[in-house]
Amino acid sequence: MGKLIPNTYRIAHLNLQRNGRRSLLSILIIAIAVFALTSAGGFGLYTYESLKESTARDTGHLTLSQPGFFEKDEEVPLANGISDADEITKQLLTNDSVRGVQPRIEFSGLVSNGMKSTIFVATGVNEREFDMKGPFLDVREGKTLSNIQSPRYDAGEPEVMLGVDLARNLNVGIGDWVTLLATTSDGALNAVDFKVRGIYSTGVPELDKRQLYLHITSAQDLLASNRVSTLSVFLFDTHQTAATQQWVESKLSNMTLAQNIEITPWQDRAFFYVKVKNLYDRIFGIMGAVMALVVFVALFNTMTMSVTERTREIGTLSALGTYPKEVISGFMREAGLLALFGSLIGAILTAAASVFLMVFEVQMPPPPGRTESYPLSIYFSPELAIYAGLGVAIICIFAAWLSARKGVNKPITEALIYV
């Protein structure tokens, strides 16, 4: 065992044991700092990943539309829609990275229960849309829209899903009928009766008061147009977004289309994700700076006391011909060992906290602007733990260098008689 560990590090370890209580306290301070950094960073990674997936599941990893669709308003519904949706969908599904291509129609109008009317914001989709959304759509009552290809689907009873607050305001439930009134693509008014199939919540109160889903074919009948607003491309892996975007651009350039098509990746529409990430990055940056200062002060104090107590030892080593840089290196190795032990303990604590939260669910309060709580989770990132450990090690070694440099600069005669 002695051959595996160099003598210099064995001596450094023995020196730390000379005042075990002080060394243990320093290790605990480092461990707490590393635990704080890695656990907070793990929560940030979990938040980033959740927001990323929820945004991609909601808008699609790529959104195909006419140029400027998201910047300018339409004079009439589907004025800026896509005419070649079916042909584009067939071509895009040839890519193995594409999980699905979902057409969408977005429009607004009035919804009524016969006695009361209110404004709605509708999204026309097909039944596979809800498979793509996964757990990010909370169906409170009823079911999602039926498959219109199913023999059990009754075309005479078109279906609609209402936001939970919209259904409450209209005082309707599953099986009740509502009337949607909207402007057609020709500028006329059209109204169609729909049967409530399900009631859902997005977790955002303002959306739940206005939003509803209906079949895309029903939306086209209501708006008297065969166009769609956008095509949402869903991928199997979010990391494939950039590569797939290049492939889609190449594919579309070789097609003859009725209008130009613009491709928007999910990042360009993830305004909430970008703002939260910028906020958390600043918070974690400030937190990291505070933790670094705490570790530096603690280790500087520890190493200064150690150097002071061993002044006569330093003088003796100097009298025997030991170079000052060798003495300083010894203290720096001791600080490095403290950083290593503390970082390992801190990383283990973070891993234990991550496993604990997987087994025992802890609910976080709803974030601002939302009504749904969510489970607390911490991702354990070995890469983050390594970065935190390296940062702490650099701080500890620098603190040891500052402390030891003052001790070795004392004259030998003064150091030998130091009490």
Side-chain angles (χ1 to χ4, degrees):
M1 186 69 179
K3 294 181 180 179
L4 295 177
I5 302 177
N7 286 332
T8 53
Y9 286 95
R10 294 180 62 199
I11 294 172
H13 182 256
L14 292 173
N15 282 331
L16 291 177
Q17 293 179 342
R18 296 166 76 173
N19 195 319
R21 182 179 300 176
R22 187 169 62 213
S23 298
L24 179 60
L25 180 60
S26 299
I27 290 173
L28 289 178
I29 292 174
I30 295 171
I32 293 172
V34 172
F35 171 69
L37 291 172
T38 53
S39 59
F43 174 73
L45 292 175
Y46 161 73
T47 304
Y48 297 162
E49 188 66 22
S50 298
L51 287 175
K52 180 194 300 182
E53 289 300 321
S54 64
T55 302
R57 292 287 187 95
D58 182 48
T59 65
H61 296 86
L62 299 172
T63 303
L64 277 60
S65 64
Q66 283 201 40
F69 176 82
F70 299 105
E71 287 77 29
K72 57 185 179 182
D73 295 331
E74 295 177 310
E75 294 183 1
V76 293
L78 298 178
N80 300 328
I82 300 175
S83 303
D84 306 306
D86 292 339
E87 181 61 26
I88 294 174
T89 300
K90 291 178 183 178
Q91 295 297 323
L92 297 186
L93 289 176
T94 60
N95 191 321
D96 294 335
S97 301
V98 177
R99 181 184 176 192
V101 181
Q102 299 301 311
R104 290 185 178 182
I105 294 178
E106 298 177 0
F107 65 100
S108 60
L110 291 176
V111 56
S112 173
N113 62 357
M115 299 292 293
K116 180 181 179 181
S117 299
T118 187
I119 298 172
F120 72 83
V121 177
T123 305
V125 297
N126 59 35
E127 68 283 349
R128 286 209 61 207
E129 175 81 15
F130 306 103
D131 295 332
M132 300 296 176
K133 285 185 178 297
F136 296 103
L137 183 71
D138 180 15
V139 179
R140 297 289 182 85
E141 297 180 43
K143 300 179 181 179
T144 57
L145 299 177
S146 305
N147 183 356
I148 60 175
Q149 305 299 330
S150 172
R152 292 181 295 179
Y153 178 75
D154 186 358
E157 297 184 351
E159 300 171 348
V160 67
M161 292 180 65
L162 303 178
V164 60
D165 291 332
L166 178 59
R168 184 182 300 113
N169 291 339
L170 292 174
N171 194 27
V172 295
I174 304 302
D176 292 337
W177 288 81
V178 295
T179 302
L180 302 188
L181 175 67
T183 303
T184 68
S185 58
D186 298 326
L189 290 177
N190 192 18
V192 176
D193 293 332
F194 289 85
K195 189 175 183 179
V196 179
R197 167 77 172 178
I199 297 175
Y200 66 94
S201 173
T202 62
V204 182
E206 294 305 315
L207 291 179
D208 289 343
K209 291 178 183 178
R210 296 284 182 261
Q211 195 179 66
L212 59 84
Y213 286 109
L214 68 161
H215 280 292
I216 195 165
T217 53
S218 299
Q220 289 175 331
D221 291 340
L222 178 61
L223 302 178
S225 175
N226 60 359
R227 289 187 170 192
V228 300
S229 299
T230 60
L231 287 174
S232 297
V233 182
F234 294 87
L235 308 179
F236 287 101
D237 190 347
T238 305
H239 297 96
Q240 298 173 329
T241 301
T244 306
Q245 180 178 355
Q246 295 180 356
W247 180 86
V248 173
E249 289 174 348
S250 175
K251 196 74 174 177
L252 293 179
S253 65
N254 296 325
M255 297 177 60
T256 303
L257 302 174
Q259 64 274 112
N260 294 327
I261 299 296
E262 181 180 56
I263 303 174
T264 306
W266 68 268
Q267 300 96 319
D268 292 351
R269 300 183 62 193
F271 307 111
F272 186 71
Y273 167 80
V274 172
K275 291 181 179 179
V276 169
K277 188 175 186 302
N278 291 337
L279 174 64
Y280 277 23
D281 285 345
R282 287 176 174 82
I283 292 175
F284 296 147
I286 295 172
M287 181 179 177
V290 172
M291 290 294 104
L293 183 60
V294 170
V295 171
F296 174 79
V297 172
L299 262 294
F300 183 78
N301 179 65
T302 298
M303 299 312 297
T304 299
M305 293 176 64
S306 179
V307 169
T308 302
E309 292 174 355
R310 293 158 60 184
T311 300
R312 295 179 67 181
E313 177 186 329
I314 294 172
T316 302
L317 291 173
S318 299
L320 294 174
T322 304
Y323 291 107
K325 65 179 183 180
E326 294 176 343
V327 178
I328 294 176
S329 297
F331 284 102
M332 293 171 66
R333 280 190 288 271
E334 294 175 26
L337 288 179
L338 290 175
L340 176 62
F341 296 147
S343 297
L344 288 175
I345 294 173
I348 292 172
L349 289 175
T350 302
S354 177
V355 174
F356 175 83
L357 292 174
M358 291 180 184
V359 178
F360 302 98
E361 187 173 291
V362 177
Q363 289 292 323
M364 292 288 287
R370 293 181 176 266
T371 59
E372 299 294 325
S373 60
Y374 62 98
L376 172 63
S377 183
I378 294 176
Y379 283 171
F380 176 72
S381 170
E383 184 179 6
L384 182 61
I386 291 173
Y387 285 146
L390 288 176
V392 167
I394 292 172
I395 293 170
C396 292
I397 291 172
F398 178 67
W401 177 79
L402 285 178
S403 302
R405 190 180 60 160
K406 181 179 179 181
V408 299
N409 287 335
K410 281 182 177 290
I412 295 177
T413 54
E414 183 180 336
L416 289 172
I417 64 174
Y418 184 86
V419 178

